[in-house]
Amino acid sequence: TEIPPLTIPRGRPQLNAAGTTFVAENGQLLRGPYTSSEWGDPAPREELENMKDLGFNAVHIYAECFDINYPNPGSTAPGYSASRIDAVVEATGELGLYLIITIGNGANNGNYNIDYVTDFWEFYAPRYADETHVLYEIQNEPVAWSPPYSTAANGALDMEIAVYNVIRTHAPDTPVLLFSYSVLWGAGAGDDALNDIRIFNEAVFGSEDAQWDNLAVAFHGYAGAQNTVDAISAIMAAGYPTVMTEFHGNMWGAASGGFDVEFAHRLEQLNVSWLSFVFVPPWGVSDSVTRPDVYLEPMTKTGLSWHPDFGTFPAVRGTHGNGGLPWETPGYVDGNLSGTLHMEAEDFDDGGKGVAYDNDSTAAGSVYRTSETVPMEATSDTDGGYHVADNTSGDWLEFTLKVAGGGLYDMRLRMAGAGSVRVFSRDEDLTGTWTLPDTGGTGTWSTAGHEVFLPGGLQRLRILVEDGDFNLNWLELSPVSTGPISEGMHQIRNVGSGQYLNLDGSDNVVVGGTARDWDLQHSGAGQYTVGADGDFWTTFMGPLHLTPFWGAEQFIMAPAGNGNYRIVHGGNGLCFLPSTTDAPRLTTAMCSDDANQQWTIN
């Protein structure tokens, strides 16, 4: 889709055609990190400018931290950070970045001071009312932690109504973000938020069903992606726009970082603008967006993409076919993974040469995707359609994939000819050199199989040709139906310490003591529930422990060589090992070859 040219200074944000969110004057979602002028200098102009090279067009600023004791003697009054905020407003305006201004909470998270928030906006609302790139967010997380605000003991909904009227008195045209919900736990929370909206509408507009043209619900992501998406979907279905202003999390298998690439992907699918809780250098209370493991690596490994307002990052790419959505492996049914994902080879990603594929060809194709330089032919294989032809050394194709449950998968390639490939996901080699069968010619078809370990979540899957000449019709992925360990009772011993997994007096899983039997039941893809005496392993509400069935989680028993296994948490992709600071309990870390992360299962 062609994006209209932008102008600097930027025009006012507007609601998009679907009414789901505020967007830039050229229709682009607002995307960005944060800075803070609460306790010191915010990010300088040069660092803000660098955000344009990372694909961002917006910044969130925690402008001041309210003083719970204001206006008592000795307290800090609003306006103390005016010169610092002025500098950010000026810099972002000149750089073509949007800016969302809010009040931070400091040590009083989940609270607010009505005198402070009122006087803050009396001071700042007129100050930036004519700045067309600025949006106002009334107060960061004024309630601990979820809607409805109408029943909050601290009167937060009344505060939102009163302060909105203050802002509108001084800044009638500035977009305003309400509520800043921290936790939205499913569709029920969405209904509670809608009740807040109705009360707000009645008080401000005289009608519960008033529609918004310059307002949106701000929300945060601390209920997790699925619960939050369920909630905001309910809000948007009722006709009210939303904007994400704070979320934080790690990519599957990564122990460090803070840009939640999976959540950002969901928000992109929903067409909702977002501001992440990663900071613009030099300082912040989370993670720097310029750390490669925080932002650039998750972005490139997963293929998350959009049309940037500035520069060339991220590379513009997307799924070909499948409604533009990533190809997704079968999900959980009654706690089990089974089924098959089928992808036609000719449906490699959009994005062009060097982004979605590469080869030596310079000629555009003659069939199917005629603008690409990937040879494609009508196939002689039994299912008809097309195949990718003449795959030779150095050629590669990529597919954007979403794996519902990480673990062990059977991969199958339908090919004709002979050769070898390597398959990569998130730039990690899954197969090593995979020698394909020699079928006897490029018109004789066969199916080659290989077991691979796929991380959970979004990823770029690359098929790289090492050698040979063959045609490729399709590829399939199925979670292994038989796990690497037989179902039933097993003892689990740590390779590094030689000690067995047992329980302490609080039913925490610990290393040490006498060996005990654990009941392993396979759920597909090498994932297992692990139980004992009718209860099951879970990390919910604490360290790894044993609880009744409702708390069961999935654990991947991933072969580590020499007959050993890593125990990988199915939800976050981290490996279990004995804790060095909270012994004898277990902790988690990024998976490695450390002997303490390896287990014998007998």
Side-chain angles (χ1 to χ4, degrees), residues 318-325 327 346-350 368-369 372:
T319 306
H320 186 82
N322 201 39
L325 300 176
W327 301 99
E346 63 271 20
D347 285 330
F348 56 87
D349 279 355
D350 292 322
Y368 193 48
R369 300 170 67 178
E372 309 289 2

Side-chain angles (χ1 to χ4, degrees), residues 185 537-547 550-553 555 569:
W185 199 269
W537 280 7
T538 181
T539 56
F540 183 68
M541 298 295 288
L544 184 63
H545 52 281
L546 200 68
T547 66
W550 59 265
E553 296 176 11
F555 299 86
H569 191 282

